[in-house]
Amino acid sequence: MHPMLNIAVRAARVAGNIIARGFENRDDLMTQIKGENDFVTRIDKEAEQAIIDKIKLSFPTHSFVGEEGGVVEGDEEFKWIIDPLDGTTNFIKGIPHFAVSIALIHKGRLDQAVVFDPIRGELFTASKGAGAQLNGFRIRTSNARDLNNTVLATAFPFKDKSRNPEYLNSFAEIFARCGDVRRCGSAALDMAYVAAGRYDGYWERGVKPWDIAAGELLVRESGGLVTDFSGGNDPMHSGEMVAGSPKVVQTLVKHLKEK
């Protein structure tokens, strides 16, 4: 395992322990509202700080960007992108589907990635050029060549429901052509599941870099394709994500571009 990935895994496990303990004692979450249908708990904040502290022990000069405000100035050559608890609403409601997401960007390119599900004990990892793994075993995206019989994942635009008509039009077209669609509430796990071949494809609009950075590298290193809704190759800046086997992504983009 790459030394930086090894540290990221350790940090993810530390955060996972905080999250798992918090999940057992949700009466003391101190939930706050960040925005429309957007929540944060003290567990999010504690987990993010624990990740930063753990990584800084080994790499004190690196910079950080965390969802909960954990911006730490430093060497821009090495930037860690952190979502300490992706799926906070699930966490608050007692739905055991959420994850820690950590990615390292080196010289502007995704280099290392970890997505850790502390409830199932599933650790998804990737290093640039070295493939993706689940609990130490190599994973690959599905080999689906069209939407027939596929299982896809998506997310509704719950933070900006004014876009529902546009989204539902494209959803209806895609749903009519695929096998089924899941909407589970964690972009990090959606993309990890695509990397592992559990989902054949995934699309979402309104994502932030910390939602998808680790997942993007997981999918690419497992043989998949990642684009935005127009087929561009910079979804972290466009805020649009399409991921899956190459043929599935091409078909999804076709339906999404037309809306």
Side-chain angles (χ1 to χ4, degrees):
M1 183 179 289
H2 190 284
M4 291 187 182
L5 180 61
N6 187 39
I7 296 301
V9 167
R10 293 181 188 179
R13 291 195 183 279
V14 170
N17 288 336
I18 293 171
I19 292 166
R21 290 196 301 269
F23 192 62
E24 294 176 354
N25 301 281
R26 294 193 314 283
D27 292 339
D28 188 31
L29 292 181
M30 298 173 59
T31 303
Q32 298 175 325
I33 298 176
K34 294 194 294 183
E36 186 71 21
N37 299 312
D38 195 8
F39 304 96
V40 63
T41 72
R42 68 173 180 82
I43 300 298
D44 296 72
K45 296 177 180 179
E46 288 177 14
E48 180 170 289
Q49 191 59 54
I51 292 168
I52 293 172
D53 290 346
K54 187 68 174 179
I55 295 174
K56 280 181 71 67
L57 285 175
S58 298
F59 307 112
T61 64
H62 288 191
S63 60
F64 298 81
V65 176
E67 180 182 11
E68 309 310 335
V71 177
V72 178
E73 300 293 338
D75 184 355
E76 289 293 310
E77 184 176 337
F78 295 94
K79 179 178 289 186
W80 296 89
I81 310 297
I82 302 165
D83 191 338
L85 177 50
D86 186 64
T88 297
T89 300
N90 284 348
F91 176 81
I92 292 169
K93 300 297 289 186
I95 301 169
H97 190 80
F98 40 79
V100 180
S101 177
I102 303 173
L104 172 65
I105 294 178
H106 179 221
K107 295 183 177 179
R109 309 187 78 171
L110 285 166
D111 192 71
Q112 308 294 328
V114 177
V115 172
F116 178 51
D117 179 343
I119 301 302
R120 298 177 182 85
E122 292 191 326
L123 179 72
F124 300 85
T125 58
S127 292
K128 183 174 175 56
Q133 297 184 326
L134 167 56
N135 290 343
F137 294 92
R138 182 68 185 267
I139 53 177
R140 301 286 299 179
T141 55
S142 83
N143 58 3
R145 302 187 64 81
D146 54 44
L147 296 188
N148 290 335
N149 301 314
T150 56
V151 174
L152 307 176
T154 189
F156 298 111
F158 65 95
K159 294 181 185 178
D160 182 10
K161 294 184 179 179
S162 66
R163 307 197 72 165
N164 275 358
E166 174 188 347
Y167 170 83
L168 291 173
N169 284 339
S170 58
F171 178 90
E173 286 194 6
I174 293 167
F175 184 61
R177 290 166 172 79
C178 72
D180 206 348
V181 177
R182 302 285 183 264
R183 190 271 186 256
C184 296
S186 172
L189 283 178
D190 282 340
M191 298 195 72
Y193 283 16
V194 169
R198 296 173 178 176
Y199 295 149
D200 298 291
Y202 157 70
W203 81 99
E204 183 176 356
R205 170 175 276 153
V207 291
K208 301 295 185 181
W210 47 77
D211 297 321
I212 61 173
E216 179 177 342
L217 187 62
L218 283 170
V219 173
R220 292 190 188 279
E221 288 297 324
S222 59
L225 185 63
V226 182
T227 74
D228 59 25
F229 283 15
S230 299
N233 62 1
D234 194 8
M236 279 201 291
H237 288 92
S238 70
E240 300 172 344
M241 169 63 69
V242 188
S245 67
K247 292 292 186 182
V248 166
V249 168
Q250 290 169 13
T251 304
L252 288 174
V253 166
K254 175 184 175 183
H255 292 294
L256 294 165
K257 283 177 67 174
E258 293 172 353
K259 302 303 173 189

